[in-house]
Amino acid sequence: MDPKRQGEIALMFFKYRLRKEEVHLTPDFKRQISNSAKAIGIATEEANEFVETVVRKLVEEAVAN
């Protein structure tokens, strides 16, 4: 499987988990993002940008329905 497809699948899994679990947009959520980023070895800023993009898209989908 090529890396692009792996990324697409990973994004689908992430969105699915965010939809199914309650997400509380609190400082604790931001801290969890930061801790997760450090644990997997990516920049906190990059992780925050990624999560913000995904959460905004999910909110847009929820409002549109």
Side-chain angles (χ1 to χ4, degrees):
M1 180 181 309
D2 67 71
K4 182 180 178 201
R5 183 63 182 151
Q6 289 176 342
E8 292 168 349
I9 292 169
L11 181 57
M12 287 187 283
F13 270 111
F14 184 62
K15 284 180 173 180
Y16 176 80
R17 293 288 305 268
L18 286 177
R19 284 185 191 108
K20 294 298 179 187
E21 297 175 7
E22 288 186 22
V23 176
H24 302 281
L25 301 176
T26 63
D28 187 52
F29 181 65
K30 195 155 180 107
R31 193 173 317 108
Q32 289 174 355
I33 295 168
S34 178
N35 291 340
S36 296
K38 289 175 188 171
I40 62 174
I42 63 171
T44 300
E45 297 79 20
E46 193 174 32
N48 284 328
E49 183 179 340
F50 175 76
V51 172
E52 180 181 347
T53 301
V54 173
V55 170
R56 282 183 189 274
K57 189 148 198 101
L58 291 175
V59 169
E60 289 171 7
E61 288 175 11
V63 172
N65 290 328

